[in-house]
Amino acid sequence: MAIEIKPEEISEVLRKQITDFEKRVDVSEIGVTTFVGDGVARIYGMDNAMYSELLDFPNNVVGMVLNLEEDAVSAVLFGEDKLIKEGDIVKRTGKVMSCPVGKELLGRVVDAVGRPIDGKGPIEAKEWRQVDVVAPGVIMRQPVNTPLQTGIKAIDSMIPIGRGQRELIIGDRQTGKSALLIDTIINQKEEGVYCIYCIVGQRKSVLVRTIDILEKYGAMDHTIIVAATASEPAPMQYIAPYSACTMGEYFRDNRMDALVCYDDLSKQAHAYRQLSLLLRRPPAREAYPGDVFYLHSRLLERASKLSDAHGAGSLTALPIVETYAGDISGYIQTNVISITDGQIFLETELFYGGIRPAINAGLSVSRVGGAAQIKAMRQVAGMLRLDLAQYRELAAFAQFASDLDKATRAQLERGIRMVELLKQDQYIPMPVDEQIMLIFAGTEGHLDDLPVGSIKAFEDGFLRYCRAEKQDLKKELKEKRIIDEDLKAKMTEAVTTFKKTFQP
Amino acid sequence: MIRPGEAKRYAKAFLDNVGIENAPQALAEINSINELMARSKEFKNLLVNPQFLSEERENSLKQIAESIKLSDKVLRFIKHIIELGLILHLSEIIRIATRLYLERKRRAKVTVMTPIEIGKDYENRLISTLKKLTDRDVEIEYVIDPTLLGGILVKVDSTMYDTSIKGQLRLLRNELIRR
């Protein structure tokens, strides 16, 4: 049905608003543009401008003060710099950068300052928040104590992530970094965790593909995408992660759990380097400015688990940093590694060796550890990471040795099967109870007598069997969250019963 | 882009050199060079382009100085600025020098923009109001801007008082968008 718009009604509303409009003197503080170019502007005057205050340029371009100098200020522009010319008058707004927050943003794609770019109409946000704020203090926090289930076997078992943790995902290009994040977001559908996916400096095609995938797997309903693609000016790419974090903080501060993914922070550092050089800040190592560490540390510090007195909400951060030729000792890489509570290192060799997700068990850690895992998972996978790391080393040496002792051979055989078991297809996150059952089968040695090639088939069959026949066992595992003698016996029985019918 | 503080350094040196009493005359002279640069591409090219030898530049400058009667100190200052490669930032140096001069003389420069020329009695009222507002002697520059439609727009230092119809319409537009 078409909505009938009556021009009289509209003019009546406008007339009423205009009658209320009082004539007043517009007093504003102004400056004069003396230089514009490459997304930055220098403004003469404006004696009382504040750091990170928004400025009103002609043609509706907005800028943000980043340098305060003796007679002038330098600002970055969130818009086309071609619309501004030397001598233009710039006004102070007295406001600092803020963006819309709230549940109204869920399912939407917005730009770095929260304006919708998905063509689904305006966002009626009830609340706006400052973009760059200080992280919560010590008193407001509590240690991480609840797991964030990624649905990825290799991560949930070996490198568990807790709600409120910062876990870096690091690796070369094309090793499946973004795929890990997307899988994690898809898995939060059942977990009640709101997700914010922040795309910085990526191609627009990547953005479109991501939206497509998330919509296909029904994950957009609990997700906000904040995008500053490669074609957007550097200031937008610089500010986008802070906006995404602010949107996540709304959920955290309102007793909810949120996950914010930054894809990726090396591109943000590039954008910040560009800005800083244009603003004539002194360059330091690799031409990054001196405060590039602070750029990331103040962002990632905002991820936190709040204390019960403050509602016990949480904001988990999963930043991505790209490496070049597997070198994790680069400047930005080591910075972010030292800020986060652990890293997941993805390797090209493993990826092309068919081990996907291509997680290097030796170099990946989670410094929160056991507190972020349910007890049952800790029981079955406690030593898995170390065992796998040892297996990798052993396998390298075993290539030279002709005859090995029995224990070593057994360890190698077990390792091959565990690697096989931890492989997982994309977009199919797995519930934690099923993960436990599978890893239990592996670590208890039930797979040792199966051919390596049949592990995948075993996994599929066993899961189908459990879903059909062992619903009560799955339920019990979910509720108890710990494997006692009784449950262990039941699980062993389930595996052995299935194995009898399984034809490798 | 000029380094922060650099323009101020030369503006100060300029004022000290010409002396505070001769400053208005010297500022007007240096401003005429700046305007000439803005108007004539060839002249700007002569001052900036490294293809020209310094003697060529000096000779032409001397001729120009004679024709527009530049004082010796201003000419030397311009030459020095050219040597330092800061001639493109002359407008910024002038702006700061003007501000410094007004500060020293306890005067305020005010720009008044109106759509039509204002009458003498209005002018007197305006001057007395502005004197009260700034607590200083005022030096008014009148600009006629028909796009204001009506009302008056006053700029004092870095504050702008806008009662023009153009400004009111802008405020009304913002108000309507906000609702």
Side-chain angles (χ1 to χ4, degrees), chain A residues 14 16-18 20-35 40-42 44-48 56 60 69-72 74 86 89 91 278-280, chain B residues 1-5 7-8 12 88 91-92 95-97 99 113 153-165 167-177 179:
Chain A
L14 286 180
K16 194 165 169 284
Q17 287 182 352
I18 292 171
D20 294 344
F21 182 75
E22 282 171 46
K23 190 172 183 289
R24 58 176 191 266
V25 183
D26 176 25
V27 182
S28 42
E29 213 177 311
I30 52 157
V32 181
T33 320
T34 58
F35 167 89
V40 300
R42 212 172 119 91
Y44 175 78
M46 219 167 261
D47 306 334
N48 300 313
D56 198 358
N60 291 326
E69 292 147 22
E70 199 181 343
D71 301 301
S74 293
E86 191 190 338
I89 288 183
K91 278 188 186 173
L278 289 168
L279 289 169
R280 303 242 160 178
Chain B
M1 209 154 74
I2 194 165
R3 269 202 299 272
K8 191 172 186 178
K12 241 182 199 165
L88 283 177
S91 54
E92 192 154 348
R95 195 179 303 130
I96 293 176
R99 202 197 67 199
M113 291 168 92
L153 191 149
V154 181
K155 281 192 264 180
V156 187
D157 290 336
S158 61
T159 314
M160 184 166 77
Y161 303 88
D162 188 357
T163 60
S164 70
I165 292 182
Q168 294 295 312
L169 285 173
R170 196 189 52 244
L171 285 180
L172 179 62
R173 185 194 62 190
N174 292 349
E175 188 88 343
L176 288 175
I177 290 173
R179 290 190 202 178

Side-chain angles (χ1 to χ4, degrees), chain B residues 133-165:
Chain B
L133 187 77
T134 55
D135 199 21
R136 275 183 285 180
D137 280 338
V138 288
E139 194 171 281
I140 299 185
E141 182 193 353
Y142 293 99
V143 179
I144 306 285
D145 181 1
T147 64
L148 293 180
L149 301 176
I152 185 168
L153 191 149
V154 181
K155 281 192 264 180
V156 187
D157 290 336
S158 61
T159 314
M160 184 166 77
Y161 303 88
D162 188 357
T163 60
S164 70
I165 292 182

Side-chain angles (χ1 to χ4, degrees), chain B:
Chain B
M1 209 154 74
I2 194 165
R3 269 202 299 272
E6 209 168 13
K8 191 172 186 178
R9 190 158 75 233
Y10 292 107
K12 241 182 199 165
F14 175 72
L15 282 184
D16 290 344
N17 200 15
V18 297
I20 198 79
E21 291 315 315
N22 300 328
Q25 173 64 22
L27 278 170
E29 283 175 17
I30 201 171
N31 211 11
S32 63
I33 292 286
N34 194 35
E35 275 169 12
L36 194 60
M37 264 171 66
R39 267 207 314 272
S40 154
K41 225 174 179 180
E42 287 86 10
F43 180 61
K44 190 175 175 183
N45 200 17
L46 170 77
L47 301 187
V48 179
N49 199 329
Q51 275 185 330
F52 293 100
L53 297 174
S54 54
E55 292 113 53
E56 288 174 334
R57 207 172 280 151
E58 219 158 279
N59 285 337
S60 337
L61 258 180
K62 216 180 243 172
Q63 280 176 19
I64 291 166
E66 271 166 24
S67 68
I68 58 170
K69 296 191 175 59
L70 275 192
S71 65
D72 197 33
K73 279 178 179 169
V74 172
L75 184 63
R76 273 209 311 252
F77 180 76
I78 301 260
K79 276 186 198 162
H80 187 58
I81 291 289
I82 293 171
E83 270 169 36
L84 292 168
L86 292 173
I87 192 71
L88 283 177
H89 304 292
L90 191 61
S91 54
E92 192 154 348
I93 295 172
I94 294 172
R95 195 179 303 130
I96 293 176
T98 315
R99 202 197 67 199
L100 287 175
Y101 166 71
L102 291 171
E103 254 171 34
R104 284 187 201 176
K105 289 293 254 186
R106 284 198 56 76
R107 290 171 75 91
K109 192 177 176 199
V110 178
T111 311
V112 174
M113 291 168 92
T114 45
I116 48 165
E117 218 166 300
I118 56 171
K120 209 69 198 156
D121 50 337
Y122 270 118
E123 204 174 313
N124 291 335
R125 264 169 64 193
L126 194 64
I127 290 174
S128 67
T129 317
L130 287 171
K131 255 187 189 170
K132 228 185 276 170
L133 187 77
T134 55
D135 199 21
R136 275 183 285 180
D137 280 338
V138 288
E139 194 171 281
I140 299 185
E141 182 193 353
Y142 293 99
V143 179
I144 306 285
D145 181 1
T147 64
L148 293 180
L149 301 176
I152 185 168
L153 191 149
V154 181
K155 281 192 264 180
V156 187
D157 290 336
S158 61
T159 314
M160 184 166 77
Y161 303 88
D162 188 357
T163 60
S164 70
I165 292 182
K166 190 181 175 185
Q168 294 295 312
L169 285 173
R170 196 189 52 244
L171 285 180
L172 179 62
R173 185 194 62 190
N174 292 349
E175 188 88 343
L176 288 175
I177 290 173
R178 202 170 56 82
R179 290 190 202 178

Side-chain angles (χ1 to χ4, degrees), chain A residues 261-291:
Chain A
C261 306
Y262 306 112
D263 191 1
D264 65 81
L265 288 188
S266 22
K267 300 258 173 28
Q268 191 214 8
H270 289 167
Y272 189 56
R273 170 168 64 185
Q274 181 187 331
L275 281 185
S276 302
L277 292 174
L278 289 168
L279 289 169
R280 303 242 160 178
R281 293 183 177 175
R285 186 174 155 190
E286 288 172 30
Y288 287 106
D291 63 344

